[in-house]
Amino acid sequence: MQFNTFAASNADLERSVAAPNLKEVLIEPQLLARQGTLSETDSQALAQDAQQRGLRPVLVWDALMPERMWKAVGDRLKTWDLSAFAAIRVNDLGAAAWVQEHAPHMPLHLIVETGNHNLSALQGWCELLGSSLERLVLSIELPEDTLAHYCRTLPVACEVLGAGPILLFYSPRSLLTNPLHAEEDAPYLATTVAFEESPDRPFPTLETAHGTLMFLDKDQFILDRLTTLQEAGMHTIRLDLRSLQPSGDAALHVDQICQQLVTDPAALRQHWPRPTRAPFFNANRTTALIPRMKTRRLDPWRPQALAEAIASEKNKFLVFRVLHPFPFSTSLKLISPTGDPLPLPDHFRTLDGQALETAQADQLLIADWVKRGVPGSLLVASDG
């Protein structure tokens, strides 16, 4: 298992070279990265310097860009010497497609920290991006056992944040200054924001040319609990020290931090300069209350349900997913999520409009809309 960190200066590179088990640096140009401060020339020069020092430089392209920016950014990227970088890290699938088209030799790191947490979705991105995909940057919202399972199962290397700010919110819009300012005049503004309900709890907030980011007032920290992830094959642990640095650096003391990870990681947590936590590492219970919030009035009918409404459009249609095979000669009735009987829809058919005599499990059916017909309604046998 290796570490990586952000680098913004030659001093950062020197510290990274001296850091045990740190072989990779993340370089953020202002053109492409949400928190980037480097010019295009400086980014490429820093990448070349990193390679000369035996480090692996990765270009960070994590900004979400509106359509009007794509052509201009793409045209500028075509002039870059991308061979200075070992890989490109993207947050937007459009950026991944651009890389595959214009730099097909470049390995991709796909950031999936804010969505696609289930295994089938992650496997889908692996299949879509194919051999270009070198790594998935996983979410801290995945518990330890899930992270370990994904590391063992996914066909590419995995990375997770080991220590650093927890991103609560990101918008490509400017929310602190004038929302309509031109991109070239955008500020790099760091401040704190508090809510009226909790004015004594300020959240670090940053606005750049690529939008607004808000962070939790505590840092993610799992550096003292890496044994299971290492045994599962986690490839990279990210050290994000940007918020702890003076202007111009991004990895102050990374060499000392990595050295202490080898000798005494527990003490490192105790002396971390910001409050720390690992809110999801033991378990993610954010959805635990959902079953209790659902109505239970349909429970008596659910075991006998033949189909469930999964979509509707008022005055147009209802879409059902068949749960169990049944012939349409069966006497049917429709029950709303509140347990009330509804009129039976007419003209059940397939999505391409074909009439059926028998419905098959997992088949999708479309029917005429009925008043109060909503997703969650159950189609049951009238004697059910």
Side-chain angles (χ1 to χ4, degrees):
M1 184 170 63
Q2 70 172 24
F3 300 101
N4 66 7
T5 193
F6 295 89
S9 66
N10 280 299
D12 287 335
L13 298 183
E14 293 294 340
R15 287 186 283 265
S16 298
V17 169
N21 302 321
L22 197 153
K23 304 297 183 184
E24 184 177 88
V25 289
L26 308 176
I27 297 177
E28 297 182 292
Q30 187 177 24
L31 177 67
L32 304 174
R34 296 183 300 203
Q35 297 179 243
T37 58
L38 297 172
S39 69
E40 299 169 36
T41 302
D42 289 343
S43 299
Q44 295 174 80
L46 192 65
Q48 293 169 352
D49 290 342
Q51 287 190 344
Q52 293 173 3
R53 289 173 166 84
L55 295 169
R56 190 169 189 265
V58 175
L59 176 63
V60 178
W61 186 357
D62 63 354
L64 301 178
M65 297 179 176
E67 182 68 26
R68 66 181 182 274
M69 291 182 61
W70 266 102
K71 186 178 187 308
V73 170
D75 289 344
R76 289 167 67 175
L77 266 180
K78 291 176 185 177
T79 67
W80 284 38
D81 178 17
L82 293 178
S83 65
F85 300 92
I88 300 179
R89 173 176 300 231
V90 299
N91 191 31
D92 188 319
L93 288 174
W98 189 96
V99 174
Q100 287 190 317
E101 179 179 354
H102 295 95
H105 61 286
M106 291 297 297
L108 282 169
H109 296 180
L110 181 62
I111 301 171
V112 286
E113 293 181 300
T114 56
N116 306 297
H117 295 171
N118 61 80
L119 182 60
S120 59
L122 298 175
Q123 290 171 327
W125 297 132
C126 295
E127 182 178 349
L128 176 67
L129 297 176
S131 59
S132 296
L133 185 62
E134 180 180 75
R135 190 183 306 167
L136 286 173
V137 183
L138 300 178
S139 171
I140 65 168
E141 295 177 14
L142 299 173
E144 180 184 31
D145 57 347
T146 303
L147 287 169
H149 174 60
Y150 287 4
C151 288
R152 297 186 184 102
T153 306
L154 290 167
V156 298
C158 295
E159 175 185 321
V160 72
L161 176 63
I166 298 173
L167 182 65
L168 295 178
F169 170 82
Y170 167 57
S171 170
R173 296 173 177 164
S174 168
L175 301 179
L176 299 181
T177 58
N178 183 359
L180 300 179
H181 66 64
E183 280 81 0
E184 59 269 18
D185 298 324
Y188 193 97
L189 176 63
T191 185
T192 57
V193 172
F195 296 95
E196 185 176 357
E197 298 82 4
S198 53
D200 57 341
R201 188 180 184 187
F203 294 91
T205 305
L206 182 67
E207 183 179 307
T208 73
H210 295 294
T212 309
L213 304 96
M214 177 183 287
F215 301 92
L216 190 67
D217 55 349
K218 297 179 176 65
D219 279 358
Q220 164 83 351
F221 193 98
I222 59 170
L223 299 181
D224 53 345
R225 294 188 278 175
L226 295 178
T227 302
T228 298
L229 296 183
Q230 184 172 9
E231 292 173 351
M234 178 66 72
H235 184 271
T236 303
I237 299 295
R238 186 168 71 261
L239 307 175
D240 184 354
L241 311 177
R242 291 172 294 177
S243 64
L244 309 178
Q245 314 306 319
S247 177
D249 288 330
L252 191 64
H253 303 313
V254 70
D255 49 346
Q256 300 173 30
I257 290 171
C258 288
Q259 184 60 50
Q260 194 165 1
L261 280 173
V262 175
T263 58
D264 193 356
L268 178 61
R269 181 180 192 127
Q270 295 173 3
H271 296 96
W272 196 255
R274 284 166 47 88
T276 61
R277 65 177 306 185
F280 303 104
F281 197 64
N282 291 330
N284 186 338
R285 296 189 174 90
T286 53
T287 60
L289 293 178
I290 290 179
R292 297 176 59 184
M293 296 167 63
K294 293 182 178 179
T295 178
R296 305 189 65 85
R297 295 186 180 183
L298 286 180
D299 286 358
W301 289 281
R302 201 170 296 280
Q304 293 83 30
L306 302 175
E308 180 177 6
I310 60 171
S312 68
E313 185 169 345
K314 187 176 181 180
N315 297 323
K316 291 189 177 181
F317 59 80
L318 276 170
V319 178
F320 290 86
R321 182 175 72 90
V322 179
L323 304 175
H324 302 286
F326 67 93
F328 282 99
S329 58
T330 304
S331 180
L332 303 170
K333 63 182 179 182
L334 186 64
I335 308 295
S336 76
T338 59
D340 299 318
L342 300 176
L344 190 67
D346 296 325
H347 310 299
F348 287 92
R349 55 197 181 278
T350 62
L351 296 183
D352 57 4
Q354 297 181 6
L356 293 174
E357 293 184 359
T358 302
Q360 303 299 325
D362 292 324
Q363 193 171 32
L364 296 181
L365 304 175
I366 191 167
D368 296 339
W369 184 80
V370 296
K371 188 175 182 180
R372 294 190 295 138
V374 295
S377 302
L378 294 181
L379 194 66
V380 299
S382 60
D383 58 349

